[in-house]
Amino acid sequence: MATGRPHRPTTRGRGIPEATVARLPLYLRALTALSERSVPTVSSEELATAAGVNSAKLRKDFSYLGSYGTRGVGYDVEYLVYQISRELGLTQDWPVVIVGIGNLGAALANYGGFASRGFRVAALIDADAAMAGRPVAGIAVQHIDELESIIADNGVSIGVIATPAGAAQQVCERLVAAGVTSILNFAPTVLSVPDGVDVRKVDLSIELQILAFHEQRKAGEAAAGPDITDMVTPVVPPVAATRRRADDVPARPVVDGAAPHGVGDAGSGPDGSDGGRSAAMPA
Amino acid sequence: MATGRPHRPTTRGRGIPEATVARLPLYLRALTALSERSVPTVSSEELATAAGVNSAKLRKDFSYLGSYGTRGVGYDVEYLVYQISRELGLTQDWPVVIVGIGNLGAALANYGGFASRGFRVAALIDADAAMAGRPVAGIAVQHIDELESIIADNGVSIGVIATPAGAAQQVCERLVAAGVTSILNFAPTVLSVPDGVDVRKVDLSIELQILAFHEQRKAGEAAAGPDITDMVTPVVPPVAATRRRADDVPARPVVDGAAPHGVGDAGSGPDGSDGGRSAAMPA
DNA sequence: GTATCTTTGTGCACGCGTTCACAAAGGCAT
DNA sequence: ATGCCTTTGTGAACGCGTGCACAAAGATAC
């Protein structure tokens, strides 16, 4: 293949696949650790182990950035740190605002990983007037009325939403209207945004639910013989009219509308829309 | 296709694809909201919109669980809430422990999404003796010396790690040795665990870095003409010996080892291994 | 009972991401 | 200078996930 050319898998515009982009920070972290130990070079094998991925994948990922390795030797740590940082846009300094200074918002403000590595907390914003002026992580909280001017004055393009679910969409719209084009959302809601705005979602309870699924699967398999496919998802006997209907489950309705409310035991949290109180904005 | 049979895409054991499992909590959340508004049924189209996915995908996802819809009508909300809850293992109550009660750990302890929906915070654990006994979110923090007995006494199988990066692997090993088989890791480290243990990772700084990448891409495309492929990733002129070498980047070394340390400007955070101080355990 | 209309369930095709396996590249020893 | 040995870079195959499009199913109206 042509030696020095950049690749363009499909989209043309910067051919780096999403999956690769998502791993670059992992590599960067591992490389930074090596750099601090003054390790001059790494092989793809070593680095892959440190980053918790497969070495072939790592090499292919790097191949999208260009040819930065030396055959028979490996990759130069410092050089690679620089290249990945640049590719991720970390050679510049990104001002971010955090909206919703509750427990989570405060934790984020104190999070060291933001300050290092190119991100700077430009402002902490909360809707509670009582919070205004109070210092969190060394920064005075500002009232949400000033959101627009803060964004404009600091040239903020990345916003973090750590409000309760109910407030998230509204905050999101204000952020976008003020010029923010990337949002990291911690509120358990689906945000709708115009084209051109990126949203990434971090949802604590979803992660736990996924773990619970696997935990249950493990428990089920351990308890039953290895061939009981149907412990958890019982199969209908090849005959039965409509599917299975366990004894203690809400009866499968027949279009008749208005099923009795609150029958299932799980999934009936009394609050807004599930785990909504991730962060404050108490007033 | 055979009408009533469960599917087994590939793996046989519980044929539900990972991607589907990861979306089930989204559906559940949307369904819970509908349930609270006493909406009896939803069409795949409506529910898909509420969950932020495509309706075909949603229908396919549900088809892995069985046939729970009624053609011409839609899905019964209550029934579906129950089925998904059961599939995710949320009809039982999962005790979890949170290790590392710093800013983040405290935020997690206060997080409403844990308590609702089948999860119960069985204990808060920290290595700082000064924290012991102090109540956080209404629960007294316990010292890490008691980790093993807490796990055993409460039958905990899910652990949350919110310690600094440096302590995470050690805590992880103690959790696993004590019987935990699912771990939600907030520390910015790659955990190595034996087979049979599931780890999910939530990394705040990685999410930001991914956003920064897209932000930079957007900025670059807006600034340059639509055909400058190389604004950010300059290409080597077809002639040059070794690849490009910008003016202010670490020189590409030639196997000669010991590159000058700390040349790249980004990616040289002075702390442990990048943003390590997510949570406390200060002593 | 029959026709019509809505919505599900899914076969099928496509594209992305992962992995294997190997040829090319380059250092290093002699 | 030559050959060996290590490690990269990548072609090619495979598998999973997504989305289209439609036939089957069932409710509803007449």
Side-chain angles (χ1 to χ4, degrees), chain B residues 203-228:
Chain B
D203 194 312
L204 316 181
S205 79
I206 284 185
E207 298 300 324
L208 269 192
Q209 290 176 43
I210 295 172
L211 282 179
F213 172 84
H214 289 113
E215 199 59 39
Q216 167 173 270
R217 191 176 48 74
K218 276 184 276 190
E221 278 175 0
D227 214 327
I228 307 293

Side-chain angles (χ1 to χ4, degrees), chain A residues 14-38:
Chain A
R14 183 75 58 270
I16 303 182
E18 261 308 298
T20 295
V21 172
R23 280 187 295 267
L24 291 181
L26 283 178
Y27 302 145
L28 185 54
R29 175 169 294 156
L31 285 164
T32 304
L34 291 171
S35 168
E36 279 158 9
R37 289 167 39 210
S38 299

Side-chain angles (χ1 to χ4, degrees), chain B residues 69-80:
Chain B
T70 305
R71 290 164 196 249
V73 175
Y75 299 91
D76 179 76
V77 172
E78 294 299 326
Y79 189 67
L80 202 46

